[in-house]
Amino acid sequence: AVERMGVYLKLKQGFDFRCLRFPMVLSPSAPAGAMTAYPSHAIAAAARGDTFVMPVAPDTGMSTLYLNDVTRSIVEICSAERAALTQHAYNLHSFMFTAQDLVEAIQSRFPGFSCTFTSGSPTDDLILRWPDVFDDSAARADWGWAPHYDFDATIGALVQFANAQR
């Protein structure tokens, strides 16, 4: 609704409306109840030496961004030349990973980590409805969007934070 209102104000009143659409965002301080925060919580569990229950199937994955790229993208879209923007709203994407990819990345840093998977959960169902890759080609072309964090860099940052919290 906010996006539709922004587009309306842009078209009718000349309002400089710019919108970003984010995929799953990974954050070191993900809230406990967030359905898509399981990657951060799994890494924190591994750092504590705990087991973890993945609320998704091993092959469930989706488009993702790390929080630092999210905050930087907001500054960048606000700083972009208005004339260069060909769209009202832009999708962003950095990487796609599956729950199994996550487990392997965690186990490479915490060899004793173990977990189980949950197929058909509400979280699994939600994520399976989202695209694996958000097409962010317009953002890349119009204002030079490019993520700084890929999967490995994101996992490294999350592990570093989790280790500091122990």
Side-chain angles (χ1 to χ4, degrees):
V2 171
E3 185 176 325
R4 300 286 297 176
M5 179 58 81
V7 171
Y8 171 81
L9 291 172
K10 181 175 186 172
L11 296 175
K12 298 295 183 183
Q13 303 294 325
F15 183 70
D16 185 5
F17 176 74
R18 302 165 188 213
C19 178
L20 296 175
R21 296 179 186 140
F22 302 118
M24 178 166 62
V25 175
L26 297 185
S27 166
S29 55
M35 289 180 78
T36 58
Y38 68 90
S40 301
H41 299 308
I43 291 169
R48 292 188 307 268
D50 296 341
T51 60
F52 189 77
V53 177
M54 294 283 178
V56 296
D59 60 345
T60 298
M62 69 172 296
S63 182
T64 307
L65 279 175
Y66 182 56
L67 182 63
N68 290 14
D69 278 335
V70 169
T71 56
R72 185 177 49 78
S73 71
I74 294 168
V75 171
E76 288 180 3
I77 189 71
C78 290
S79 302
E81 290 295 323
R82 188 175 189 176
L85 303 179
T86 62
Q87 299 186 182
H88 311 294
Y90 291 89
N91 295 332
L92 299 185
H93 170 80
S94 181
F95 55 91
M96 183 275 194
F97 71 98
T98 65
Q100 185 62 46
D101 295 333
L102 175 64
V103 170
E104 291 169 9
I106 293 171
Q107 288 174 335
S108 74
R109 291 159 172 92
F110 301 99
F113 177 70
S114 66
C115 70
T116 57
F117 296 94
T118 310
S119 299
S121 71
T123 301
D124 198 45
D125 184 53
L126 174 71
I127 292 174
L128 288 172
R129 296 171 192 252
W130 293 348
D132 288 344
V133 175
F134 279 22
D135 178 8
D136 65 353
S137 57
R140 290 173 185 263
D142 289 1
W143 50 277
W145 159 251
H148 289 179
Y149 287 82
D150 62 9
F151 180 68
D152 288 331
T154 298
I155 298 302
L158 294 173
V159 166
Q160 182 178 12
F161 182 83
N163 283 332
Q165 299 302 304
R166 290 194 287 173

